[in-house]
Amino acid sequence: MPKTFYITTPIYYPSAKPHMGHAYSSIIADFFARFKRIDGFDVQFLTGTDEHGLKIQRSAEKQNIEPLEFCNQISKTFRDLSQTLNLTNTDFIRTTEDRHKKTVQHLWKELEKNDDIYLSKYSGWYSVSDEAFYNEDEIEDIDGIKRSISSKSTVEWIEEESYFFRLSKWEKPLLKYYETHPNFIAPESKKNEVISFVKSGLKDLSVSRKSFSWGIKVPSNNDHVIYVWLDALTNYISALNYPNTDDVLFKNFWPASIHLIGKDILRFHAVYWPAFLLAAKIELPLRVYGHGWILSGDEKMSKSKGNILDPIEIIDQYGLDPLRYYLIKEVSFGNDGNISQERLEDCINSDLANNFGNLCQRVTAFAIKNCDGKIPSEIKFQDDDLLILNKFKNNLDNIRSKIDCQNINFYIDYIINSLFEANKYFNDQEPWKKKDDLTRLNTIVYTTLEIVRKISFLLYPIIPESSLKALKIFDIEENKIELHTITNNEYLTKGNNLNKIEILFKKIEKNND
Ligand code: MSP
């Protein structure tokens, strides 16, 4: 049985075109998906678009087109973005698809059957922008406009007949679950917020709307559409063909290994979603990780704030891998991070061009000139060589366990250190002075090439295209990238030809005025 791993991104509202925050969630998910794949896991990676609700209906009305047509257009830009970001998602779900609607209606019936849903009347504050209900104490009044304190979006008062989910009934089971599954919510700081929210008392949740029609109908009452969050969260299992629990996708991949989301939607994923699942007697995902925000000038990037950075523009200017590297390295994972062009350029120049690109160029150029363009055959490792090579072997289990705790910061620091050490090793060993001791010269070259290979394997989840370009030196193809082989110090076939490669990263000329 292969080991399996199921990772999801949030499904994005196609109410406007994608921005850097969306790109961030997707790139991080892709990083984990690729890492797990090269570590031998069978990976299911889901992303998609969340297309129902009043927010989408209003956006479509503004443009005077039918909601579905509106969604078709913008959902496509998200699908295209997945390709532009070089994501390896195995599925792309749209909540307007039949496969999804069927699952949502089935889940609704299950909740109804288990007496977790009842009809009553809702009155309270609602933010269309967040598609969220807020209590009185979660609202502030600024210049006569009522807003959510946490998201700052405006709220409106609604009063209508609504179905309710008995969320209150799940307060204690949820608290018990958090206690017995301490890894369910991450990072730790966010977990405490969720727990105190639940401890402060859960009220039943309005899960249907009657005053608009753009949504999935309540099966037993077509006057109501299902609350967009109950609809949206279900995507994680509709993509696995639930309720067909015998389906190979559901069997292999549920419960999800991790739902990766932004911290603003943690409550939905760590409170509502597990409560729905408990009520429907479905296993809970193993982890929900609420990452930080990409800030632009200290504020969350969002359409309403008009401070959006367009990922496509950055990619056009600098290329995709520099953006992926930058987001993964510079935004300390779990915290907010400010994005700046200046820091992006620094990353390209120092880490990518100087540290990685230069190491690849230097050692191949040297080997082409001094080792007949081949991977050296006559080698004899000394302590210095084994010391640096064995660090990979000695750290592999640690790297794996850090990734299982989503400690991306450790991973990237490990790579940067390894690059630094590799450059230092090559400099200190001075192979250019070893021309009368060819075994020593060959061994230094072989060792450095091995390190380039190992680091390129580790860089593959972060900068896949550049890692593959570097691996062309050895004719190593994507399907040969297997993480466990970084423990092998003589993986490279001696005597094979080495290929010259193009410059991996162009340095950015900086104007220091
Ligand atoms: N449709 C819901 C999610 C449903 S999941 C069952 C939604 N969509 S969204 O398009 O508004 O946001 C999607 C994700 O992008 C969220 O995880 C949100 O946190 C993330 N980001 C939106 N802006 C962001 C930043 N500026 N920075 C980082 N991520 C942020 O919410």
Side-chain angles (χ1 to χ4, degrees), residues 10-13 19 21-22 24-25 50 55 229 232-233 235-236 261-265 269 291-294 300-301:
I11 47 170
Y12 304 109
Y13 288 128
H19 63 64
H22 303 130
Y24 181 65
S25 288
D50 180 1
K55 175 172 162 132
W229 273 99
L233 289 160
N235 90 90
Y236 301 130
I261 51 161
K263 61 180 183 180
D264 48 326
I265 56 172
H269 284 79
H291 66 65
W293 286 336
I294 305 291
K300 182 184 177 223
M301 220 180 289

Side-chain angles (χ1 to χ4, degrees), residues 365-380:
F366 186 85
I368 285 170
K369 208 158 147 210
N370 297 286
C371 308
D372 208 13
K374 294 190 187 328
I375 297 174
S377 306
E378 300 295 316
I379 62 164
K380 193 162 177 293

Side-chain angles (χ1 to χ4, degrees), residues 133-352:
F133 302 97
Y134 287 109
N135 297 330
E136 202 64 51
D137 61 353
E138 293 176 303
I139 299 296
E140 63 188 351
D141 190 319
I142 302 176
D143 299 331
I145 298 177
K146 299 242 188 293
R147 294 180 186 276
S148 139
I149 296 171
S150 56
S151 73
K152 306 287 175 233
S153 63
T154 53
V155 292
E156 47 196 80
W157 183 257
I158 58 170
E159 263 185 45
E160 64 188 48
E161 183 185 78
S162 170
Y163 285 93
F164 280 78
F165 171 72
R166 291 189 202 282
L167 185 62
S168 54
K169 169 175 150 191
W170 296 100
E171 185 181 311
K172 288 214 166 63
L174 280 173
L175 288 170
K176 179 123 208 283
Y177 191 83
Y178 303 146
E179 202 184 311
T180 50
H181 297 78
N183 296 327
F184 176 59
I185 306 170
E188 198 67 21
S189 54
K190 309 271 167 20
K191 173 171 146 181
N192 300 333
E193 281 171 31
V194 171
I195 294 178
S196 31
F197 171 74
V198 176
K199 276 192 177 152
S200 72
L202 292 178
K203 290 205 294 201
D204 289 352
L205 181 71
S206 160
V207 283
S208 78
R209 297 293 305 273
K210 212 181 167 182
S211 52
F212 65 92
S213 58
W214 182 237
I216 300 175
K217 300 247 181 286
V218 166
S220 54
N221 184 346
N222 282 352
D223 292 343
H224 286 249
V225 293
I226 297 175
Y227 175 41
V228 62
W229 273 99
L230 173 50
D231 164 347
L233 289 160
T234 307
N235 90 90
Y236 301 130
I237 52 174
S238 56
L240 301 182
N241 298 329
Y242 179 84
N244 186 355
T245 47
D246 286 334
D247 188 280
V248 64
L249 280 178
F250 191 83
K251 264 189 157 149
N252 284 350
F253 294 108
W254 193 257
S257 315
I258 178 165
H259 293 316
L260 189 72
I261 51 161
K263 61 180 183 180
D264 48 326
I265 56 172
L266 193 58
R267 187 183 293 183
F268 300 96
H269 284 79
V271 182
Y272 302 165
W273 180 227
F276 297 149
L277 290 170
L278 285 171
K281 303 185 175 55
I282 303 171
E283 259 185 285
L284 269 50
L286 302 181
R287 174 162 302 186
V288 173
Y289 193 106
H291 66 65
W293 286 336
I294 305 291
L295 306 176
S296 159
D298 287 337
E299 282 205 313
K300 182 184 177 223
M301 220 180 289
S302 72
K303 192 181 158 219
S304 49
K305 296 196 176 103
N307 60 356
I308 288 177
L309 266 180
D310 184 345
I312 309 285
E313 278 171 24
I314 300 279
I315 293 167
D316 284 347
Q317 192 174 347
Y318 298 101
L320 170 64
D321 279 357
L323 174 68
R324 289 180 60 118
Y325 183 86
Y326 175 75
L327 289 175
I328 292 174
K329 180 192 167 197
E330 288 285 317
V331 183
S332 158
F333 193 56
N335 299 316
D336 294 346
N338 225 310
I339 177 161
S340 95
Q341 224 146 314
E342 164 126 20
R343 289 293 305 141
L344 171 62
E345 292 181 356
D346 287 346
C347 269
I348 297 175
N349 286 351
S350 66
D351 294 9
L352 297 176

Side-chain angles (χ1 to χ4, degrees), residues 366-501:
F366 186 85
I368 285 170
K369 208 158 147 210
N370 297 286
C371 308
D372 208 13
K374 294 190 187 328
I375 297 174
S377 306
E378 300 295 316
I379 62 164
K380 193 162 177 293
F381 289 136
Q382 295 183 357
D383 286 352
D384 282 353
D385 317 320
L386 289 172
L387 184 72
I388 186 160
L389 286 170
N390 285 340
K391 279 194 182 164
F392 294 89
K393 175 158 56 196
N394 298 339
N395 270 295
L396 180 58
D397 284 339
N398 191 24
I399 291 174
R400 285 187 175 122
S401 68
K402 290 289 196 297
I403 288 294
D404 284 338
C405 318
Q406 292 74 48
N407 192 341
I408 300 183
N409 302 339
F410 169 89
Y411 189 81
I412 197 107
D413 284 349
Y414 180 80
I415 292 178
I416 293 170
N417 259 333
S418 304
L419 279 170
F420 175 79
E421 283 180 6
N423 277 305
K424 183 167 181 328
Y425 167 87
F426 197 69
N427 283 341
D428 292 355
Q429 295 294 326
E430 303 181 310
W432 49 90
K433 289 191 182 163
K434 305 282 163 25
K435 294 199 175 146
D436 2 335
D437 181 356
L438 283 184
T439 306
R440 189 62 206 138
L441 180 147
N442 282 336
T443 309
I444 298 166
V445 171
Y446 188 93
T447 303
T448 314
L449 289 171
E450 252 305 330
I451 299 171
V452 165
R453 174 191 74 87
K454 293 177 203 293
I455 294 183
S456 300
F457 277 25
L458 289 172
L459 278 170
Y460 168 79
I462 307 176
I463 46 171
E465 216 175 304
S466 313
S467 143
L468 287 171
K469 268 192 203 157
L471 290 170
K472 281 220 169 73
I473 300 173
F474 318 108
D475 280 325
I476 296 178
E477 308 268 345
E478 192 165 16
N479 60 4
K480 286 281 167 349
I481 304 181
E482 292 171 308
L483 190 66
H484 69 91
T485 66
I486 70 169
T487 61
N488 180 351
N489 291 337
E490 291 181 68
Y491 176 95
L492 293 172
T493 312
K494 293 165 192 150
N496 270 11
N497 285 333
L498 288 168
N499 301 313
K500 229 178 146 174
I501 51 157

